[in-house]
Every structure is written in structure tokens, then in C-alpha cells.
Amino acid sequence: MEITEEVLSAILDAYAYEIVFADRDHIIRYMNATAKRRYAGRISIGASLFNCHNENSRIKIEQFLKRADEGENEMYELYNGKTGEREFFVPVRDRNNKVIGYFERHEKPWDPSHPEVPVGDYWTNRI
């Protein structure tokens, strides 16, 4: 099987967590199916990420990009007390290790009393 853009998109669509990839100019270039459901009507491919983030977020993201340019990989952002999720900034690099964009990774809170609950169920109910 050849790994095409269609196959990679299907893999990312099967991923239960949302993925919104923005380039270095903060333009949204890709959203997986979960992200499209969660952010429907608020953000879209081709739009600026800052249509839904404020100036403080811009400053924070620029700081993360600077750290990524200096060699850091995934970076802890914050604990979201509203959702119980930890959030991480994830730089994406090309073959030459140059940062070409980024996405934010949300980590589902783990409920030890219900470890059998699939991640997908959590995200579906969260949206």
C-alpha cells in the first residue's frame, strides 16, 4: 500500500483527539474530523488561527515557536481547569528539522474508576 495524502488524512481522521495544524503564519492548513466537528462554524481551513485566539495567545504561541526553533519539541502549555485537560504545544518539523507549523495537543483526563471508557467516547461527548 502506498501512503498517500488520502491515507494519511484517513489515519488522522481515525484519531479521536482533535488536530488543528497551523503554519508559521498561523494559517490553519489542516483539521482532522474531530476538530472539524468541535470547531464547526468557529474556525476553518485557510483562516487565521487568531480568529478564535486573542493577543495573549499570539504572544504565547510566538514564544513556543521561538523555543521550538531552538530545538524544543512538545511543550506543556497549561492545565485547563474547565475541561480537566492538560494542553501541549507541538511543533511540526520538515526533513531538515525546520519548524513548519504546529498544533495543540489536548490530553484527556483519566478517570481511574472508568479506565475502559474509550478516548473517542470522551471526545465525542465533549464536543
Side-chain angles (χ1 to χ4, degrees), residues 6-126:
E6 180 180 0
V7 170
L8 289 173
S9 185
I11 291 168
L12 294 172
D13 281 345
Y15 191 58
Y17 296 90
E18 67 228 20
I19 298 172
V20 177
F21 171 76
D23 65 18
R24 289 296 299 243
D25 295 320
H26 314 292
I27 302 301
I28 298 167
R29 298 298 177 186
Y30 177 83
M31 296 171 66
N32 72 346
T34 304
K36 288 175 184 175
R37 283 191 305 273
R38 178 172 185 206
Y39 299 116
R42 293 191 300 170
I43 62 172
S44 60
I45 294 170
S48 170
L49 184 68
F50 298 114
N51 288 348
C52 69
H53 284 3
N54 61 30
E55 186 59 28
N56 289 336
S57 293
R58 176 186 295 272
I59 292 166
K60 191 173 175 181
I61 289 169
E62 291 294 346
Q63 290 170 344
F64 281 127
L65 282 171
K66 183 176 186 298
R67 289 170 55 190
D69 287 339
E70 293 168 354
E72 279 191 66
N73 290 311
E74 184 176 77
M75 296 164 237
Y76 175 75
E77 285 185 54
L78 60 92
Y79 173 76
N80 184 328
K82 183 178 176 182
T83 64
E85 299 163 5
R86 293 188 317 157
E87 299 177 11
F88 297 83
F89 178 88
V90 183
V92 176
R93 302 177 192 293
D94 66 12
R95 292 177 192 208
N96 297 315
N97 210 30
K98 180 181 175 191
V99 178
I100 58 172
Y102 58 91
F103 65 94
E104 186 176 69
R105 182 175 73 81
H106 295 242
E107 191 172 88
K108 163 194 171 330
W110 184 62
D111 181 355
S113 63
H114 296 286
E116 74 286 354
V117 175
V119 170
D121 290 352
Y122 169 80
W123 289 103
T124 301
N125 293 327
R126 177 176 174 262

